[in-house]
Amino acid sequence: MTRPDGAPIRVLVVDDEPDIVEVLEEVLRQEGWEVRSAGDGPSAVRAADGFRPDAVVLDVMLPGFDGLEVMRRVRRDAPEVCVLFLTARDAVEDRVAGITAGGDDYVTKPFSLDEVVARLRGLLRRAGMARAGNGSRLVVGDLVMDEEAREVTRGGTLIDLTPTEFELLRLLMCNPRVVLSKARILDDVWSYDFGGQAHVVELYISYLRKKIDAGRVPLIHTVRGVGYVLKP
């Protein structure tokens, strides 16, 4: 897997355990990717600013400030960057907290290296970092999604979306006028069983509404007790 321009994928690994950083760096470089690392919150933000990663493998518990704050600061300048949280905490509530904060996926320690690579590949494909595909376009009303260019416009105005927001909107646009339940959205977008934590979906629907519908005729509609639907 490479970037669309043929350049290597760039991954930033952030963890305060040197052994974990070393093994992740080795396996990710075997994928042909460029890898940088950091061991605390402030150095992670500095590294991201200079390295401009496509994805960040990010421990939640870090010296300086935690991984959630690292993600917030990195996303200010690079909203499209993929974030894979890596943490020893495995409770459902902690997984939900990471995703709710804006993370794209979550792996718990101890982890399988193959799983980390597979999750990253999935995130990068969602974010359009793999080579271009069939160039399909989705259109609902004046909302247009160019899947190859990873661009979304409404009424000709470009809308910046995070990878997860893009995937959620793609699901809605692939099913226009179809009411999608929160469980279906959780399964298709996050591939997780959150134990009924539907507020993750509600949160991301609110993010999309602010970007897609703000000041315009709404396209995203709530069907009470059922789910959400995208229609003109």
Side-chain angles (χ1 to χ4, degrees):
M1 176 183 287
T2 63
R3 293 171 55 85
D5 61 4
I9 296 293
R10 296 188 295 269
V11 182
L12 175 63
V13 176
V14 185
D15 198 297
D16 61 346
E17 298 183 51
D19 291 344
I20 289 180
V21 171
E22 181 179 357
V23 71
L24 284 173
E25 285 182 323
E26 180 177 353
V27 73
L28 295 177
R29 287 191 175 116
Q30 289 175 0
E31 294 292 315
W33 299 346
E34 292 185 18
V35 185
R36 298 288 186 276
S37 63
D40 58 63
S43 63
V45 173
R46 290 193 297 269
D49 185 54
F51 184 45
R52 307 297 293 178
D54 302 304
V56 182
V57 180
L58 182 59
D59 191 18
V60 173
M61 302 303 295
L62 292 169
F65 45 78
D66 66 19
L68 301 180
E69 181 62 22
V70 171
M71 181 185 63
R72 282 190 285 266
R73 297 191 185 196
V74 170
R75 283 264 176 87
R76 288 174 190 168
D77 297 323
E80 74 285 351
V81 69
C82 302
V83 176
L84 175 66
F85 277 120
L86 190 67
T87 178
R89 298 184 301 178
D90 58 2
V92 170
E93 292 78 9
D94 293 324
R95 282 185 281 157
V96 171
I99 298 299
T100 300
D104 298 297
D105 209 341
Y106 202 106
V107 175
T108 56
K109 301 176 184 177
F111 55 83
S112 159
L113 292 173
D114 289 340
E115 181 182 11
V116 171
V117 173
R119 293 289 180 90
L120 282 173
R121 283 180 169 273
L123 292 179
L124 291 163
R125 281 193 294 269
R126 277 169 44 181
M129 291 303 168
R131 288 187 178 273
N134 59 12
S136 60
R137 296 172 79 245
L138 301 172
V139 180
V140 177
D142 61 349
L143 182 66
V144 179
M145 173 180 284
D146 186 324
E147 293 188 279
E148 180 176 332
R150 302 295 292 189
E151 289 184 349
V152 174
T153 60
R154 182 159 187 199
T157 300
L158 186 65
I159 299 171
D160 291 326
L161 300 177
T162 68
T164 300
E165 290 168 350
F166 188 96
E167 185 69 8
L168 174 55
L169 182 61
R170 191 190 72 81
L171 175 63
L172 293 170
M173 294 187 72
C174 284
N175 298 276
R177 300 183 182 277
V178 176
V179 180
L180 301 177
S181 68
K182 294 174 184 178
R184 162 79 185 278
I185 294 171
L186 277 173
D187 185 60
D188 283 14
V189 177
W190 284 277
S191 300
Y192 269 123
D193 176 9
F194 280 107
Q197 299 288 346
H199 69 271
V200 174
V201 176
E202 296 167 2
L203 183 68
Y204 271 84
I205 288 290
S206 72
Y207 291 163
L208 276 184
R209 280 179 164 146
K210 290 176 182 177
K211 295 183 177 184
I212 301 298
D213 287 344
R216 305 179 177 98
V217 176
L219 288 176
I220 302 172
H221 304 273
T222 299
V223 180
R224 291 179 62 85
V226 183
Y228 302 96
V229 60
L230 185 76
K231 62 181 180 180

